Amino acid sequence: MAAFRGQRFVVVQMLLTRLPDTCDLNRIRNVVESKSYYGSDCFSEDRVTVVKDFLREINASTSDQLHNFWVSLKFSLRDSVINRSKANLAPSRYGVGLVIQFAPSITPVSALQFALFSVLYGNQIITKISERSEEFIRSIENFNDANKELSNRLAKYCQFITYDAKRLEITNLLQSRAGLRVIWGSNDSIQEIRKSSLNPGSSEITFPDRLSILAVSGAFIDNLEDKDFEKAITNAARDIYEYDHGACSSPFRIFWLGSNVSDHSFQRFLNKLLMEINTRFEGSWAFSTERQLNHIRAQIRSARDTSFIPGMVNFHVVRDPNNLGNPVGRGNIEVIDIDNASQLTKYVPENLQTCTYLGFTAEFLRGLFMSSNGPKPTRIVPSGSAMVMTSVWDRYKFADILSNTYEDY
């Protein structure tokens, strides 16, 4: 974290403000009390304009770092999504006021997406980002330096702050007047933040650790022409290498339904997918240290012409689903060979979030999950769309959680 070395407390506001090592609570109090605690009209002209300007500036950036880091953000908040969200909003809605958000350390860009939606829905938002999110903090600083006027405009509504998580007095102060608290993270992290109580009238939503899956029809893959096969590989790989396999919606288990399909097709699919994923990681710098990246690049160069490429992601083939244990975590994907579709619902993880698919339909999978007594996904989307979030995230509808409505007769 070279840009911030020696700083125990930093406020990132798009216009970069840093608090001294002494961590003066009065300075923090000034940040909090400068915010409006009463929501404004949703999708006001100024709010929509500043968010769209911000996204256009990212899109126009020539920086590979900014492009790779925020590529998903640009798509999720493209003009058509903003315009559709505004058009679908019921009249007489206004923001909940001040939103306090605790960002995930692995994928803080998700918190940036949420922050921009919060701005659109008429709120002020302060986001606490982890000190471990070094690249994210550095990219915010770089963007601010290159776009000071735009950063100042956005900072009226949206600010980022980072500090030692053990400083609960800071957390208490930040959320002392919040209308909504948003927590991303592990179960332990969420419980730790909840030690700081909210005002009785405040609301809370959480994004705990979740796991996702990819369902693949072997017969579908086996019958694809080469061009379509390459497209299927590209889509499946994108869901894994974006966010360096750190997002909850990135598949940690692949279910291959292919009892009547040759092992050659199975191995061809896995080898090609693995090669695509780890080759893509060569250009994916987000959330990885330079030391890790150099190691990954060396592995890729040394194994580029082989059928198996070691790297940040490895596959573990499980022929007998009954031998499944707990998911082994980031960078490792279990591939389960199943005989019939009903097994899919039997072996999904308890904390299931997203089910992506190749060769199935959403209607078929929805019926499969609804007829089972097991865990059910909050999202069923085509392969390649795992990171595409619009106005509904992980069972939460933005219009309901980020805005209030008048009751009138």
Side-chain angles (χ1 to χ4, degrees), residues 139-158:
S139 67
I140 294 288
E141 181 185 44
N142 292 340
F143 183 87
N144 175 75
D145 291 344
N147 305 275
K148 292 188 182 298
E149 187 272 337
L150 178 55
S151 296
N152 289 341
R153 287 167 54 205
L154 186 57
K156 292 192 304 180
Y157 308 119
C158 174

Side-chain angles (χ1 to χ4, degrees), residues 42-43 48 52 75-91 93 116-117 120-121 389-393 397-400 402-403:
C42 299
F43 292 91
V48 171
K52 287 187 175 182
F75 188 79
S76 296
L77 273 159
R78 59 197 184 279
D79 282 2
S80 61
V81 171
I82 295 175
N83 296 338
R84 184 168 61 251
S85 298
K86 179 180 179 180
N88 292 339
L89 193 67
R93 295 197 73 91
L116 294 177
F117 271 115
L120 291 171
Y121 278 90
M389 303 289 188
T390 54
S391 59
V392 179
W393 277 20
K397 187 177 181 180
F398 282 157
D400 294 336
L402 289 174
S403 67

Side-chain angles (χ1 to χ4, degrees), residues 28 35 50 56 73 130 137 168 170 173 185 232 239 242 254 283 300 328 340 351 378-379 399:
I28 308 168
K35 296 298 180 184
V50 72
R56 269 192 293 270
L73 171 71
S130 170
I137 295 172
L168 291 180
I170 300 174
L173 180 57
D239 289 341
E242 283 191 1
I254 297 175
I300 292 171
V328 288
N340 59 77
N351 53 344
T378 59
R379 304 170 67 230

